[in-house]
Amino acid sequence: MIRAVPRVFIKPTVTDLRKGLNGLYAIVTNAYQADILRGDTFVFINRRRTLLKTLRWDGTGFLMTIKILAKGRFADLFRLEEDGLVSVSQRGLSFLLSGAPLYSVFRHK
């Protein structure tokens, strides 16, 4: 069942983004035992922090988006050294996608 208010989870460690839908799905379900079919969004970032992929279930199929920054880098979430997923709000995801710095994503918590 899809959640009324989907959550956003970021994997704060490097992900090999040559992986496609099946590889990212495997990370979500195997490494984190998360139920992606609830409609939550999962975010993955490459080592250089210039490429980001999101994966979510929209009720009828998987939706995978890709964002490549023309210049700059995504927030340095790798410094968080988290073992699990980092939960952010939809607003936090918007900040991250815009290329905003890390403190902008977490400042208002």
Side-chain angles (χ1 to χ4, degrees), residues 1 9 11 14 25 30 38-39 44 47 54 63 65 67 69 83 86 92-93 98 102:
M1 174 179 254
F9 296 103
K11 180 179 177 277
V14 174
Y25 176 84
N30 295 334
R38 292 182 172 217
F44 307 90
R47 181 176 305 281
T54 67
L63 176 64
T65 60
K67 174 137 186 189
L69 290 178
D83 288 335
V86 175
L93 178 59
S98 72
L102 179 65

Side-chain angles (χ1 to χ4, degrees), residues 9 11 13-36 40-46 51-57 62-67 85:
F9 296 103
K11 180 179 177 277
T13 56
V14 174
T15 303
D16 178 359
L17 291 185
R18 293 176 292 183
K19 294 181 186 303
L21 187 140
N22 292 334
L24 297 178
Y25 176 84
I27 290 172
V28 171
T29 58
N30 295 334
Y32 297 109
Q33 288 81 41
D35 183 3
I36 195 166
D40 298 327
T41 300
F42 295 87
V43 181
F44 307 90
I45 303 172
N46 70 342
L51 174 65
L52 176 146
K53 287 186 179 181
T54 67
L55 181 64
R56 81 176 174 93
W57 174 258
F62 287 102
L63 176 64
M64 186 168 72
T65 60
I66 300 169
K67 174 137 186 189
L85 297 168

Side-chain angles (χ1 to χ4, degrees), residues 3 5-12 34 38-45 52-56 77 84-97 105-106 109:
R3 294 182 194 281
V5 179
R7 300 174 300 178
V8 177
F9 296 103
I10 301 173
K11 180 179 177 277
R38 292 182 172 217
D40 298 327
T41 300
F42 295 87
V43 181
F44 307 90
I45 303 172
L52 176 146
K53 287 186 179 181
T54 67
L55 181 64
R56 81 176 174 93
L77 301 174
L85 297 168
V86 175
S87 179
V88 297
S89 65
Q90 291 289 337
R91 184 172 183 218
L93 178 59
S94 295
F95 276 123
L96 181 66
L97 290 173
V105 175
F106 294 97
K109 282 197 122 185

